[in-house]
Amino acid sequence: MTDDGLPDDHLPDYLLAALRMAAGVDPVPGRVSDAARDAYSLRLPGGVVAAPYEIGAVVGARSEGDPAMHRFGADGITLDVEVTVTDGRLDVAGQVSPAPGPGARVEVRTPGAGETRTPSESGHFAVAGLPSGWISVVCHRPGLAPVATRWLHVRD
Amino acid sequence: MPSEKTLTGLDQAAWEELVTRFGGRMWAVARACGLGPADAADAVQGAWLRMVENLDGIRDPERVGAWLVTTTRHEAVRLARRSRGERPGPSALTDAVVPDPAASVVNADVGRRLWLLLDGLAEPCRSLLRLYALNPDAKYAQISMRLGLPIGSIGPTRSRCMSRLRALIEEDR
C-alpha cells in the first residue's frame, strides 16, 4: 500500500534493502553466494528452454501428497513433469511425448546434482528422493538440441 | 561487463563478477520482501537460475543488475504468497521480467543517504524504521513492545513512515 496508490509498488522494499545494506546488517550468507557462483555450471549451451503450458490439472483443490503437474513444450516435444513431496524429498515422474526414441536420456536436475534416466519406450521416466527446492528436467536427444524445462520450485 | 549484445558468451569470471556486484543486493531485496533466511536463499537462487535460462534473452547487459534485482523480487513475492498459503496461479512460471529502473536504489550509497534522512524523521517513524531496518527478523509483536504502539498499528505506521522517507529521498535527488 502506498500514498500514491500505485499497485504492486516495489520502492519501499528497495529502500528497506538499501538501509540494511548501508548498516551492514544481515549480509548475504556465504552459502547463498556459493550457490550463486555454482549456478554458472547449470548453463545448457545450445539448449532450448521449454515454456510452461497452462494445464487444467493444476487448478482446483489439491491435498498434500498429491502430485503437482506441470507441462512444458519446445522444439516439437512435450515434457509432462509430476512432482510429489514425500518427507521433504521430491519424487519426480514424467513423460516425454512423442517418445524420444533410442539413445535419448532424461536428466532431472537440482542445483546441486542431477540424475539421468533412459526413458521407457513410451517416454516415461522417474527419479525419487531428490532434495526439495529447484528442479529442471532436461531431455537429451541424439543429434538434437537438449530441451530443458524452466526451473521449478517445489517444496512442502 | 560483457559487451556482447546478449549474455550468451558470458564466461565464469564475468558471472562471478555479477555475483560479487549484485548478490548482496539480491539477498537484501529478498529479505526486505519479508522472507526468512531459507526462503530468501531460495528466491536468490531462483533468480540466478532464471538468469541461466535467459542468457540468450537478456538483450541489455547494462541492465542485468536491475534484471537480477527485479527477478529476485518476483521470486520472493511468489514464495511469500505461497508461505501465506496462496496457491500459485497457472501463470506463476510465465512472468517475463522487465528490469525495474527503481532497482537502482538498492545499494549502500543510497542506503547511507536514507539513514541521514531517516534521522530527521519525527517519531514514531524514526524509531520504527530504525528498528525494522536493523532487525530483519523482528516480529510486529516485538516492535510493538519496544515502541509502545498497538500491534495492529505497526504495519500501517510502517507503510506511512516509509512513504515519508520516500518523499524525502525524492526531494533530495
Side-chain angles (χ1 to χ4, degrees):
Chain A
M1 201 71 71
T2 62
D3 285 350
D4 54 15
L6 284 174
D8 197 22
D9 185 17
H10 306 176
L11 197 58
D13 293 341
Y14 292 156
L15 296 181
L16 180 59
L19 281 167
R20 287 183 180 157
M21 289 183 73
V25 295
D26 191 30
V28 57
R31 68 190 156 79
V32 173
S33 302
D34 290 346
R37 274 187 280 275
D38 292 347
Y40 183 76
S41 66
L42 297 167
R43 289 165 313 123
L44 206 59
V48 179
V49 177
Y53 291 128
E54 296 189 7
I55 50 174
V58 296
V59 180
R62 179 164 75 75
S63 58
E64 205 168 317
D66 283 353
M69 264 288 267
H70 303 271
R71 174 168 286 177
F72 300 84
D75 211 24
I77 63 172
T78 298
L79 283 161
D80 283 319
V81 180
E82 226 178 54
V83 189
T84 313
V85 185
T86 311
D87 296 331
R89 307 289 288 183
L90 305 183
D91 296 337
V92 181
Q95 185 175 18
V96 183
S97 33
R105 285 173 300 122
V106 173
E107 184 188 5
V108 181
R109 310 170 103 195
T110 68
E115 297 251 7
T116 300
R117 297 284 182 271
T118 302
S120 73
E121 272 180 29
S122 54
H124 285 90
F125 59 90
V127 172
L130 293 170
S132 66
W134 292 97
I135 63 156
S136 164
V137 175
V138 187
C139 181
H140 301 271
R141 300 163 297 168
L144 293 168
V147 176
T149 71
R150 291 196 64 192
W151 285 87
L152 271 173
H153 189 262
V154 188
R155 229 182 34 187
D156 269 332
Chain B
M1 297 294 287
S3 57
E4 299 92 322
K5 281 288 265 187
T6 73
L7 298 175
T8 312
L10 193 76
D11 65 15
Q12 173 108 36
W15 181 276
E16 291 189 5
E17 193 189 317
L18 291 176
V19 174
T20 304
R21 262 183 87 182
F22 299 112
R25 303 178 205 205
M26 293 161 73
W27 172 258
V29 165
R31 295 281 277 147
C33 291
L35 297 184
D39 279 346
D42 278 0
V44 171
Q45 187 169 40
W48 289 111
L49 295 171
R50 297 284 171 243
M51 174 109 172
V52 164
E53 287 171 359
N54 278 291
L55 285 176
D56 302 335
I58 299 175
R59 297 281 159 197
D60 189 351
E62 292 305 311
R63 288 164 76 199
V64 67
W67 188 94
L68 282 166
V69 169
T70 309
T71 303
T72 302
R73 190 174 180 284
H74 274 229
E75 296 297 336
V77 167
R78 230 162 42 78
L79 282 168
R81 283 190 186 135
R82 212 165 44 188
S83 297
R84 290 197 299 267
E86 295 171 32
R87 290 216 175 280
S91 62
L93 269 177
T94 56
D95 303 339
V97 170
V98 178
D100 181 353
S104 64
V105 305
V106 184
N107 67 70
D109 287 339
V110 172
R112 280 186 278 276
R113 271 167 51 215
L114 282 167
W115 277 108
L116 294 175
L117 296 169
L118 190 155
D119 281 336
L121 287 177
E123 295 295 357
C125 286
R126 186 167 160 274
S127 296
L128 192 155
L129 290 184
R130 167 172 281 275
L131 261 178
Y132 198 71
L134 295 179
N135 301 279
D137 293 305
K139 302 280 178 262
Y140 279 5
Q142 292 163 300
I143 293 179
S144 156
M145 285 223 312
R146 285 277 292 273
L147 299 182
L149 294 170
I151 188 165
S153 76
I154 303 294
T157 307
R158 195 191 100 205
S159 297
R160 188 164 47 79
C161 295
M162 203 45 110
S163 295
R164 290 207 181 137
L165 184 61
R166 170 188 189 158
L168 288 179
I169 191 125
E170 279 164 3
E171 271 172 35
D172 194 45
R173 281 181 159 196

